[in-house]
Amino acid sequence: MVLDEVVKFHQERRTDGPFVPGTTEIWPAGAVLDERDRSALVEAALEMRIAAGPSSRRFESRFARKLGLRKAHLVNSGSSANLLALTAFTSHLLEDRALRRGDEVITVAAGFPTTVNPIIQNGLVPVFVDVDLGTYNTTADRVARAIGPKTRAIMIAHALGNPFEVAEIAQLASDHDLFLIEDNCDAVGSTYDGRLTGTFGDLTTVSFYPAHHLTMGEGGCVLTSNLALARIVESLRDWGRDCWCEPGETNKCLKRFQYQMGTLPEGYDHKYIFSHVGYNMKATDIQAALGLTQLDKLDVFCEARRRNWKRLRDGLDGVPHLVLPRATPRSDPSWFGFALTVDPDAPFSRAALVDFLEGRRIGTRRLFAGNLTRHPAYIGREHRVVGDLTNSDVVTEQTFWIGVYPALTDEMLDYVVASVKEFVGGRT
């Protein structure tokens, strides 16, 4: 069979070789793909499932169950998931609760742009708060101080897989009648108070980019247990149409020619009635086929991330001049990366340490954008800052992270630890 040959091809193409310190690349992140993943992609391609279809619906159902939520909507990227999630709160269907231009959304300054961009793209105003060093998350106290008369929503990411104080912030949102979006793109499998992240907010978002906990190459998801919000997300994702029938389905609702909406004539085809100014952000069945095989391995991937993070943390414990990462109290992170902050008073710079590691083929990444308010894209944009952004500036100047993803071996991680110790030890 063709798929048997695919498995054989995959095994023949494997490039796993012995780890050679200083020569073998130690990536900070990456996809972990096996023969089942390759077979799933080929099978979907052979069946010419080139648009969203049965694999997409099956993935949505299984992923929602995995997180204990009622609905999941697959999209083409995590960035699109964030845009859809926030845009959903501007829907006229929410009546008086709908967000309107000029309303404020609380977020953090030290993060990735796609958590903030949807705020600006919807004509809303970001309200920036600072983070703690070590956890790289904000706190419920900071969020509480940021709530003002124009605040209508909160949108925060769990930093590098480490949960923010999501139970407390969800309670703040409830007390003040605010919407909460959990950007869970880096934290699938993390828990807070024993409960999965992504299950506290009104909407949650996930990314399936190769660096994340499971991958479709590109892709993302918006999840919720609120069926009214799920319906809005689906409409916005699918061109803004009012119809909920799948593309290619004919009159599944048995009312296709019985609607009258807007000023359209009675019986106008429901497939072509549009109730939102939407997008086309659907993913394909080929992506979903890969997602399904990846989902089978999610628990194993999450456990490997925890194990790798702990090996780095134990190995670097006590190294001077470095702020080591720590889990938020009452959390069990499914880590995305291992953050290191060089003390500003250290006898060496962050840049020097990064150059040393990169010279040994140890990949590093900045903690995303650092302080977003310092980037050219956001200078001059309307925003509000509550408190200072001192730690966000420290992150900008002094912080980077290294990998914990499942393909990293103990030998690789021990080499990373030894390299950091060698560098620091030679300069203190």
Side-chain angles (χ1 to χ4, degrees):
M1 291 179 59
V2 172
L3 296 182
D4 292 333
E5 292 300 314
V6 170
V7 171
K8 181 180 177 182
F9 173 80
H10 180 91
Q11 293 170 344
E12 291 174 349
R13 286 288 300 271
R14 289 186 62 171
T15 57
D16 299 358
F19 172 65
V20 180
T23 299
T24 303
E25 190 84 33
I26 301 176
W27 292 99
V32 180
L33 302 168
D34 62 19
E35 59 269 21
R36 290 184 57 220
D37 299 312
R38 192 185 292 268
S39 294
L41 285 172
V42 172
E43 183 178 17
L46 289 173
E47 293 182 10
M48 297 296 282
R49 299 203 303 265
I50 57 176
S55 290
S56 299
R57 292 190 291 273
R58 190 158 60 250
F59 179 87
E60 289 172 337
S61 177
R62 283 188 55 195
F63 195 53
R65 287 200 306 272
K66 185 70 174 176
L67 269 64
L69 297 170
R70 296 182 68 182
K71 295 292 288 185
H73 286 95
L74 189 58
V75 296
N76 56 5
S77 72
S79 304
S80 293
N82 280 350
L83 178 57
L84 280 182
L86 190 59
T87 304
F89 295 136
T90 69
S91 171
H92 63 281
L93 297 179
L94 298 177
E95 299 177 339
D96 291 343
R97 291 202 72 199
L99 273 61
R100 293 171 174 82
R101 296 185 70 86
D103 287 342
E104 294 182 344
V105 181
I106 298 170
T107 190
V108 299
F112 199 73
T114 55
T115 309
V116 175
N117 290 350
I119 302 171
I120 297 170
Q121 289 161 339
N122 276 284
L124 307 168
V125 179
V127 177
F128 292 108
V129 294
D130 206 7
V131 299
D132 285 343
L133 298 179
T135 68
Y136 303 97
N137 282 305
T138 194
T139 61
D141 287 343
R142 287 192 182 95
V143 172
R145 290 194 296 270
I147 296 173
K150 299 179 71 175
T151 306
R152 303 298 303 282
I154 303 166
M155 186 173 185
I156 303 175
H158 299 287
L160 292 179
N162 196 13
F164 59 84
E165 294 176 345
V166 63
E168 292 87 343
I169 290 174
Q171 187 61 54
L172 278 174
S174 177
D175 292 345
H176 293 272
D177 196 27
L178 308 177
F179 292 114
L180 173 61
I181 299 175
E182 282 183 79
D183 182 333
N184 202 41
C185 291
D186 291 351
V188 174
S190 296
T191 63
Y192 188 81
D193 281 344
R195 177 175 165 185
L196 284 170
T197 56
T199 64
F200 293 84
D202 297 286
L203 291 171
T204 189
T205 60
V206 175
S207 173
F208 303 128
Y209 189 72
H212 291 285
H213 288 59
L214 57 93
T215 187
M216 297 182 184
E218 297 284 356
C221 205
V222 182
L223 301 100
T224 186
S225 286
N226 184 315
L227 296 184
L229 287 176
R231 178 70 192 91
I232 294 169
V233 168
E234 182 177 13
S235 175
L236 286 165
R237 181 194 66 177
D238 297 357
W239 306 285
R241 67 178 187 158
D242 196 75
C243 183
W244 55 86
C245 294
E246 292 287 339
E249 291 182 344
T250 301
N251 202 23
K252 185 176 181 179
C253 62
L254 303 178
K255 293 178 61 178
R256 178 178 169 189
F257 299 107
Q258 297 177 36
Y259 286 90
Q260 195 288 311
M261 301 180 71
T263 61
L264 293 167
E266 183 77 29
Y268 198 86
D269 189 344
H270 194 220
K271 278 181 169 290
Y272 294 97
I273 296 177
F274 298 89
S275 53
H276 291 94
V277 178
Y279 309 91
N280 177 9
M281 291 181 173
K282 297 186 299 300
T284 69
D285 248 30
I286 292 177
Q287 290 170 275
L290 175 58
L292 285 166
T293 56
Q294 286 274 294
L295 186 55
D296 290 337
K297 295 171 280 193
L298 179 59
D299 291 342
V300 173
F301 287 166
C302 291
E303 182 55 36
R305 288 175 175 275
R306 290 183 171 99
R307 184 175 61 250
N308 290 346
W309 186 93
K310 186 176 187 302
R311 195 174 188 92
L312 289 175
R313 188 62 174 74
D314 290 346
L316 293 172
D317 190 42
V319 175
H321 309 300
L322 295 179
V323 178
L324 299 185
R326 66 182 188 275
T328 304
R330 310 200 321 269
S331 76
D332 182 13
S334 175
W335 295 97
F336 181 77
F338 188 94
L340 289 167
T341 296
V342 176
D343 190 299
D345 296 326
F348 55 86
S349 68
R350 174 205 52 78
L353 174 54
V354 166
D355 286 346
F356 181 82
L357 296 176
E358 293 281 351
R360 292 192 165 197
R361 309 283 285 174
I362 298 168
T364 66
R365 294 291 185 269
R366 302 305 296 266
L367 187 46
F368 307 128
N371 185 347
L372 277 163
T373 67
R374 297 173 60 177
H375 285 257
Y378 306 97
I379 294 174
R381 301 278 186 180
E382 184 180 3
H383 68 277
R384 188 161 65 89
V385 175
V386 177
D388 59 51
L389 299 178
T390 300
N391 290 338
S392 297
D393 285 331
V394 172
V395 166
T396 306
E397 305 289 344
Q398 304 295 124
T399 303
F400 67 99
W401 60 270
I402 51 182
V404 297
Y405 81 109
L408 299 181
T409 65
D410 289 350
E411 193 177 10
M412 291 175 175
L413 296 168
D414 291 345
Y415 179 65
V416 172
V417 169
S419 295
V420 172
K421 286 182 171 179
E422 178 181 335
F423 175 87
V424 175
R427 289 157 179 82
T428 56

